[in-house]
Amino acid sequence: LWKSGIQFNLTDNSTDLNTGILPLIPDYRSYDLGAYSIWQQQKENWSYEIGGRYDWRPLTVRRISESVPRTIETIDHDFHQYAISGGLKFDWHSNFKTGLNTDFRLRAPAINELYSSGLHQGVSGLEEGDENLDPEQSIKILLSNNWSAGQRFFVQSVIYFQRINDYIFLQPQEEFRLTIRGAFPVFNYEQTDAHLWGADILMN
């Protein structure tokens, strides 16, 4: 069984000048054109799945310069994202199944990670992006077991491990910056290599 599709998104973000303050993120326009394909097959107690996706995301940013006199700067980015995944599932019994999935993906930084600059009201802190961030590269492995007793009881256990190169995260800085609205902690978007692992249990 093959499943394929395409997707297109257009985002056009512009500032409301009547607020009288600089925005947290600048004006920008992004296009996102993606295509994906999934192949699935079931044979006796086994089922297999292989999939892939590719996204092209050009991004144009218009921001106010930090230098004086103030000017409007236009910056263009051209991001390419892709993901490859595979999985298999084995039915031990009609009410017990085991699945193993793995995927590799490339994720481009989001607009707030690149260009945040100012007070984020939701966290009461100053956020600063980095326009030179690199895309994240990650590989994830997930092992799951599903068990059910009739239609009234269900248990799922999941064990996962994920390695992320150039993981993007919000790093608190050792400073409070004084503004006309008060003193606020400062957070910078930075990158590091990260390992994420754990286990989840769900019962219904």
Side-chain angles (χ1 to χ4, degrees):
L1 175 65
W2 282 97
K3 297 179 182 179
S4 298
I6 58 174
Q7 182 178 21
F8 176 76
N9 289 317
L10 167 64
T11 303
D12 191 353
N13 178 78
S14 59
T15 303
D16 183 357
L17 300 178
N18 293 323
T19 62
I21 60 174
L22 292 176
L24 177 64
I25 57 175
D27 293 357
Y28 72 93
R29 177 176 292 174
S30 70
Y31 303 89
D32 192 342
L33 178 61
Y36 69 90
S37 186
I38 303 173
W39 174 75
Q40 297 171 317
Q41 183 176 6
Q42 184 160 355
K43 186 176 182 180
E44 297 179 350
N45 293 346
W46 291 91
S47 57
Y48 313 87
E49 180 178 281
I50 299 175
R53 181 182 176 101
Y54 170 78
D55 287 271
W56 175 50
R57 184 160 69 92
L59 171 67
T60 300
V61 176
R62 291 175 59 83
R63 68 175 181 180
I64 301 174
S65 67
E66 297 181 356
S67 59
V68 178
R70 304 289 188 183
T71 59
I72 301 298
E73 300 175 334
T74 300
I75 305 169
D76 292 313
H77 296 273
D78 194 19
F79 294 118
H80 299 269
Q81 304 178 130
Y82 59 86
I84 303 170
S85 64
L88 57 89
K89 183 182 294 183
F90 182 73
D91 296 349
W92 300 92
H93 192 269
S94 59
N95 61 354
F96 184 66
K97 301 177 182 180
T98 297
L100 178 66
N101 295 81
T102 183
D103 70 71
F104 174 82
R105 67 184 58 215
L106 193 71
R107 185 188 78 86
I111 183 68
N112 60 306
E113 296 166 339
L114 293 167
Y115 290 105
S116 285
S117 179
L119 179 63
H120 191 302
Q121 300 285 357
V123 298
S124 295
L126 297 170
E127 287 189 8
E128 297 182 347
D130 183 352
E131 62 187 271
N132 298 310
L133 292 175
D134 295 319
E136 292 180 344
Q137 301 179 48
S138 72
I139 184 168
K140 185 175 183 179
I141 301 173
L142 186 147
L143 176 65
S144 64
N145 289 286
N146 297 338
W147 178 74
S148 61
Q151 298 185 8
R152 299 183 61 86
F153 187 69
F154 172 79
V155 178
Q156 181 186 64
S157 66
V158 178
I159 301 172
Y160 59 88
F161 172 82
Q162 188 172 14
R163 160 77 182 189
I164 307 176
N165 292 336
D166 294 322
Y167 175 64
I168 301 172
F169 68 105
L170 203 54
Q171 173 69 48
Q173 306 298 302
E174 295 183 357
E175 69 169 300
F176 278 77
R177 189 171 300 167
L178 186 63
T179 72
I180 60 174
R181 286 178 281 182
F184 296 95
V186 179
F187 300 85
N188 290 350
Y189 280 102
E190 298 181 5
Q191 291 187 283
T192 189
D193 294 336
H195 294 89
L196 308 177
W197 65 88
D200 296 323
I201 294 179
L202 170 68
M203 290 191 296
N204 285 331

